[in-house]
Every structure is written in C-alpha cells, then in structure tokens.
Amino acid sequence: MLSDVPDLTAHLGYWLRQVSNHVSHAFARKLAAKDVTVAEWALMRVLYGEQPTSPSRLAEHMGLTRGAVTKLADRLIAKGLIARQANTSDGRAQTLELTAKGEGFVPELAALADQNESECFAHMPDDDRKALERILRDAVARFGITAIATE
Amino acid sequence: MLSDVPDLTAHLGYWLRQVSNHVSHAFARKLAAKDVTVAEWALMRVLYGEQPTSPSRLAEHMGLTRGAVTKLADRLIAKGLIARQANTSDGRAQTLELTAKGEGFVPELAALADQNESECFAHMPDDDRKALERILRDAVARFGITAIATE
DNA sequence: TATTGTTATACTCTATAACTATA
DNA sequence: TATAGTTATAGAGTATAACAATA
C-alpha cells in the first residue's frame, strides 16, 4: 500500500512557483523579441545610472559567482551593450559599464517590464495586489535575501 | 540625462521571483543531498500512485516537450527509480512507471518538501499564509495555467 | 600569499528539429 | 502520411576549480 504523500498543491511553494514562473516566462518572451535574456536585463538594469562597477561587486549584488558574471558580461559586450575597462589604480581590477547603446536600450526594456507587470497583475483587485506585495516583502526580509534574483 | 526608469522593486514580479527562487533553491538543496533534482522529483511525484504513463501524457501534464521527458526519464532510469516499458498493443508507445525503489523513495522526498514548506512559511502569520494561497490560486486560474511548473 | 578576474569544464533545464519505428 | 518516442544539437544559467596577473 502507498504511503500518504501530500498532494503537490498542498504547498505554498508550489503555487508561488506556478505564478512566478508564468510571470517570468511571459517577461522572458518579451525580452527575447529584443534578443535579451532576463539575466542580461538584470545586469543592464543594475548598471543603469551607476558608476562603472567591478565584476566582483556585481556578482555579490546579483548572487552570482564571478565566473557567471564574466560569461554574462561577455555576451553583453558582444552585443555592444556594455563595455569592460581596466582600472587604472589596480592592474587586476576591471569595471563594467553600459555603452551609449546599452543606456538608450534600458528604458525600452523597462517599458516591457512595465507592460508585463500590468498584463499579469492588472486583473488583480487592488487590495490583493497590496497584500501580495506586503507579504512577499515581509518574506524577503525574513529570509534575509540581499541579492537580486536573476533566474 | 537618464530617462526615468522605475526601480526593479516596483514590480510584483520582482518580489515573486525573489521569494519563489529562495523557496525553490532551499528545496533543491535538500533534494540534492539525496541526489535528486526538482524536475526529477516532480516527475516521480506525478507517477506516484498512477498507472504506467506515456511520455506524451507526462510532457503535456508537466509543460515539457517529449524530448525533455525522455532526457529526464533516462536519468531516473539510470538511477533505478523509474522503468520504461513497451506498450503491448501499440508498438510505438512506451510507458513510464516508478520502480519499487522509486516508490519507496517518494515519501522520503515528500517529507523534505514538507520540511522545506514549514521552514519557509512557518514564520508567516496564519492570515497571511491563507491570503497568499488564495491570491496565488486565483492568479493561476486567471492565467489559465494547466501544467505543473518543474523549474 | 591573497585577491581579481578569466578560463576550463561540467551539469541541469529546455527547446527545435531530424530521425526511426510503427500505425 | 501521421504519430510516438528518441536522438542530435544548441543555448541559457549556474557552479566549481584551476589559472594568470597583480598586489
């Protein structure tokens, strides 16, 4: 006889994943039309309006390894959206920054983010939207999450 | 001058991803200790207590391509957790089912899922947990999501 | 020796498309 | 021809560990 195994749907984690994946995939499809991935967008968004930033700082801020940042950066450099520069005072250090092309692109991608947000949540009653945001923010604080999730 | 680009944190999608990723990663780490991935767990969970099921049906149910199911199944077969069998009436068709070993494993993994759920959400006030579940279930229904997310 | 960054390697997840066997 | 499934290929995302240059 089979043990009593709870249904998948018994878990909040399940419902979170269902909704989060739907929203993220919808956004990923919009970005793909501009030949950008969600991780690439996140890195560009982080650099927007900031001073040139080292891969290490970006890795920490985005919860990635330095190797992962290098790979992501290589792709964005190949697309002409960011630039890598040597630090003058420390021969080991590098910095990453948006190119003019990348900087001009960010608002366009941000508009897609807004569009996705509204397509996904406009239907939701105002009270629910507020409650959801509050509960999620509380959870992030409780979990002690400091890095931004790119996946 | 820079355009006015809203902060990442202005979007509900951002907060959902932060929380969902945290919960999923915490679960993935627990499963990894048993040498199982989340996608593998999802497939095993779907097969638990069911008749032998075709890859096509599984693909549809899990929102994957048939090729992805084949690959996932290959790994689970290599681990001795599921078995592939030819259908007697249709020479093209195959079915997948849990082995005895796989069936005995599911409750153990389900206990990890329960543990993860409680570690992640036990702190949450009862009202919030209920509200969160209701809001997420509503969203899933509104989005018309039918497949279970494995990612 | 320690640190910064890159490179090498590997694995999961996923897709698309070609292919094989059968219907 | 259509269908079921597998295989081939590819790319994103991620990690660990080795490495080179510099401090």
PDB file of all heavy atoms in Angstrom, chain A residues 73-88:
ATOM      1  N   ALA A  73      28.692  39.056 -18.957  1.00  0.00           N
ATOM      2  CA  ALA A  73      29.293  40.292 -19.468  1.00  0.00           C
ATOM      3  C   ALA A  73      29.828  40.081 -20.885  1.00  0.00           C
ATOM      4  O   ALA A  73      29.648  40.938 -21.752  1.00  0.00           O
ATOM      5  CB  ALA A  73      30.406  40.758 -18.534  1.00  0.00           C
ATOM      6  N   ASP A  74      30.462  38.925 -21.115  1.00  0.00           N
ATOM      7  CA  ASP A  74      30.986  38.642 -22.458  1.00  0.00           C
ATOM      8  C   ASP A  74      29.875  38.741 -23.508  1.00  0.00           C
ATOM      9  O   ASP A  74      30.078  39.284 -24.594  1.00  0.00           O
ATOM     10  CB  ASP A  74      31.593  37.231 -22.508  1.00  0.00           C
ATOM     11  CG  ASP A  74      32.955  37.158 -21.828  1.00  0.00           C
ATOM     12  OD1 ASP A  74      33.548  38.222 -21.557  1.00  0.00           O
ATOM     13  OD2 ASP A  74      33.429  36.043 -21.554  1.00  0.00           O
ATOM     14  N   ARG A  75      28.713  38.201 -23.156  1.00  0.00           N
ATOM     15  CA  ARG A  75      27.607  38.237 -24.130  1.00  0.00           C
ATOM     16  C   ARG A  75      27.146  39.663 -24.385  1.00  0.00           C
ATOM     17  O   ARG A  75      26.878  40.056 -25.527  1.00  0.00           O
ATOM     18  CB  ARG A  75      26.430  37.401 -23.620  1.00  0.00           C
ATOM     19  CG  ARG A  75      26.559  35.922 -23.900  1.00  0.00           C
ATOM     20  CD  ARG A  75      25.212  35.292 -24.272  1.00  0.00           C
ATOM     21  NE  ARG A  75      24.154  35.652 -23.363  1.00  0.00           N
ATOM     22  CZ  ARG A  75      23.913  35.058 -22.197  1.00  0.00           C
ATOM     23  NH1 ARG A  75      24.661  34.054 -21.794  1.00  0.00           N
ATOM     24  NH2 ARG A  75      22.929  35.447 -21.442  1.00  0.00           N
ATOM     25  N   LEU A  76      27.011  40.442 -23.293  1.00  0.00           N
ATOM     26  CA  LEU A  76      26.543  41.825 -23.442  1.00  0.00           C
ATOM     27  C   LEU A  76      27.565  42.681 -24.179  1.00  0.00           C
ATOM     28  O   LEU A  76      27.201  43.600 -24.924  1.00  0.00           O
ATOM     29  CB  LEU A  76      26.220  42.410 -22.062  1.00  0.00           C
ATOM     30  CG  LEU A  76      24.920  41.877 -21.455  1.00  0.00           C
ATOM     31  CD1 LEU A  76      24.829  42.199 -19.968  1.00  0.00           C
ATOM     32  CD2 LEU A  76      23.709  42.455 -22.189  1.00  0.00           C
ATOM     33  N   ILE A  77      28.843  42.388 -23.985  1.00  0.00           N
ATOM     34  CA  ILE A  77      29.894  43.109 -24.711  1.00  0.00           C
ATOM     35  C   ILE A  77      29.805  42.777 -26.204  1.00  0.00           C
ATOM     36  O   ILE A  77      29.882  43.665 -27.050  1.00  0.00           O
ATOM     37  CB  ILE A  77      31.286  42.761 -24.146  1.00  0.00           C
ATOM     38  CG1 ILE A  77      31.444  43.379 -22.758  1.00  0.00           C
ATOM     39  CG2 ILE A  77      32.390  43.242 -25.084  1.00  0.00           C
ATOM     40  CD1 ILE A  77      32.619  42.861 -21.958  1.00  0.00           C
ATOM     41  N   ALA A  78      29.583  41.495 -26.505  1.00  0.00           N
ATOM     42  CA  ALA A  78      29.462  41.071 -27.903  1.00  0.00           C
ATOM     43  C   ALA A  78      28.286  41.781 -28.577  1.00  0.00           C
ATOM     44  O   ALA A  78      28.311  42.043 -29.777  1.00  0.00           O
ATOM     45  CB  ALA A  78      29.298  39.558 -27.982  1.00  0.00           C
ATOM     46  N   LYS A  79      27.254  42.091 -27.798  1.00  0.00           N
ATOM     47  CA  LYS A  79      26.089  42.791 -28.352  1.00  0.00           C
ATOM     48  C   LYS A  79      26.278  44.302 -28.350  1.00  0.00           C
ATOM     49  O   LYS A  79      25.369  45.037 -28.754  1.00  0.00           O
ATOM     50  CB  LYS A  79      24.835  42.430 -27.544  1.00  0.00           C
ATOM     51  CG  LYS A  79      24.389  40.972 -27.697  1.00  0.00           C
ATOM     52  CD  LYS A  79      23.179  40.665 -26.841  1.00  0.00           C
ATOM     53  CE  LYS A  79      22.820  39.184 -26.926  1.00  0.00           C
ATOM     54  NZ  LYS A  79      21.707  38.819 -26.026  1.00  0.00           N
ATOM     55  N   GLY A  80      27.414  44.756 -27.827  1.00  0.00           N
ATOM     56  CA  GLY A  80      27.678  46.188 -27.814  1.00  0.00           C
ATOM     57  C   GLY A  80      26.878  46.949 -26.770  1.00  0.00           C
ATOM     58  O   GLY A  80      26.722  48.168 -26.864  1.00  0.00           O
ATOM     59  N   LEU A  81      26.371  46.243 -25.750  1.00  0.00           N
ATOM     60  CA  LEU A  81      25.502  46.906 -24.769  1.00  0.00           C
ATOM     61  C   LEU A  81      26.241  47.343 -23.511  1.00  0.00           C
ATOM     62  O   LEU A  81      25.788  48.252 -22.811  1.00  0.00           O
ATOM     63  CB  LEU A  81      24.340  45.967 -24.408  1.00  0.00           C
ATOM     64  CG  LEU A  81      23.414  45.635 -25.601  1.00  0.00           C
ATOM     65  CD1 LEU A  81      22.402  44.561 -25.229  1.00  0.00           C
ATOM     66  CD2 LEU A  81      22.706  46.894 -26.085  1.00  0.00           C
ATOM     67  N   ILE A  82      27.338  46.677 -23.200  1.00  0.00           N
ATOM     68  CA  ILE A  82      28.167  47.138 -22.078  1.00  0.00           C
ATOM     69  C   ILE A  82      29.636  47.141 -22.531  1.00  0.00           C
ATOM     70  O   ILE A  82      29.960  46.573 -23.577  1.00  0.00           O
ATOM     71  CB  ILE A  82      28.017  46.268 -20.799  1.00  0.00           C
ATOM     72  CG1 ILE A  82      28.658  44.883 -20.977  1.00  0.00           C
ATOM     73  CG2 ILE A  82      26.564  46.121 -20.397  1.00  0.00           C
ATOM     74  CD1 ILE A  82      28.721  44.071 -19.684  1.00  0.00           C
ATOM     75  N   ALA A  83      30.496  47.771 -21.739  1.00  0.00           N
ATOM     76  CA  ALA A  83      31.929  47.818 -22.052  1.00  0.00           C
ATOM     77  C   ALA A  83      32.722  47.453 -20.806  1.00  0.00           C
ATOM     78  O   ALA A  83      32.308  47.724 -19.676  1.00  0.00           O
ATOM     79  CB  ALA A  83      32.314  49.206 -22.527  1.00  0.00           C
ATOM     80  N   ARG A  84      33.868  46.810 -21.056  1.00  0.00           N
ATOM     81  CA  ARG A  84      34.759  46.415 -19.967  1.00  0.00           C
ATOM     82  C   ARG A  84      35.968  47.350 -20.020  1.00  0.00           C
ATOM     83  O   ARG A  84      36.491  47.606 -21.099  1.00  0.00           O
ATOM     84  CB  ARG A  84      35.185  44.966 -20.192  1.00  0.00           C
ATOM     85  CG  ARG A  84      36.016  44.337 -19.092  1.00  0.00           C
ATOM     86  CD  ARG A  84      36.391  42.914 -19.488  1.00  0.00           C
ATOM     87  NE  ARG A  84      35.391  41.925 -19.097  1.00  0.00           N
ATOM     88  CZ  ARG A  84      34.927  40.963 -19.886  1.00  0.00           C
ATOM     89  NH1 ARG A  84      35.344  40.864 -21.126  1.00  0.00           N
ATOM     90  NH2 ARG A  84      34.051  40.087 -19.428  1.00  0.00           N
ATOM     91  N   GLN A  85      36.390  47.851 -18.864  1.00  0.00           N
ATOM     92  CA  GLN A  85      37.553  48.725 -18.855  1.00  0.00           C
ATOM     93  C   GLN A  85      38.494  48.381 -17.720  1.00  0.00           C
ATOM     94  O   GLN A  85      38.058  47.981 -16.641  1.00  0.00           O
ATOM     95  CB  GLN A  85      37.106  50.184 -18.715  1.00  0.00           C
ATOM     96  CG  GLN A  85      36.273  50.614 -19.915  1.00  0.00           C
ATOM     97  CD  GLN A  85      36.283  52.098 -20.131  1.00  0.00           C
ATOM     98  OE1 GLN A  85      35.976  52.878 -19.233  1.00  0.00           O
ATOM     99  NE2 GLN A  85      36.653  52.493 -21.348  1.00  0.00           N
ATOM    100  N   ALA A  86      39.785  48.550 -17.973  1.00  0.00           N
ATOM    101  CA  ALA A  86      40.779  48.282 -16.939  1.00  0.00           C
ATOM    102  C   ALA A  86      40.763  49.413 -15.924  1.00  0.00           C
ATOM    103  O   ALA A  86      40.535  50.565 -16.264  1.00  0.00           O
ATOM    104  CB  ALA A  86      42.161  48.167 -17.570  1.00  0.00           C
ATOM    105  N   ASN A  87      40.962  49.050 -14.685  1.00  0.00           N
ATOM    106  CA  ASN A  87      41.071  50.037 -13.622  1.00  0.00           C
ATOM    107  C   ASN A  87      42.500  50.588 -13.634  1.00  0.00           C
ATOM    108  O   ASN A  87      43.460  49.840 -13.761  1.00  0.00           O
ATOM    109  CB  ASN A  87      40.771  49.339 -12.288  1.00  0.00           C
ATOM    110  CG  ASN A  87      40.765  50.292 -11.121  1.00  0.00           C
ATOM    111  OD1 ASN A  87      41.682  51.072 -10.962  1.00  0.00           O
ATOM    112  ND2 ASN A  87      39.722  50.222 -10.329  1.00  0.00           N
ATOM    113  N   THR A  88      42.603  51.891 -13.509  1.00  0.00           N
ATOM    114  CA  THR A  88      43.942  52.481 -13.623  1.00  0.00           C
ATOM    115  C   THR A  88      44.802  52.250 -12.386  1.00  0.00           C
ATOM    116  O   THR A  88      46.024  52.095 -12.484  1.00  0.00           O
ATOM    117  CB  THR A  88      43.831  54.001 -13.873  1.00  0.00           C
ATOM    118  OG1 THR A  88      42.883  54.530 -12.952  1.00  0.00           O
ATOM    119  CG2 THR A  88      43.373  54.273 -15.291  1.00  0.00           C
TER     120      THR A  88
END
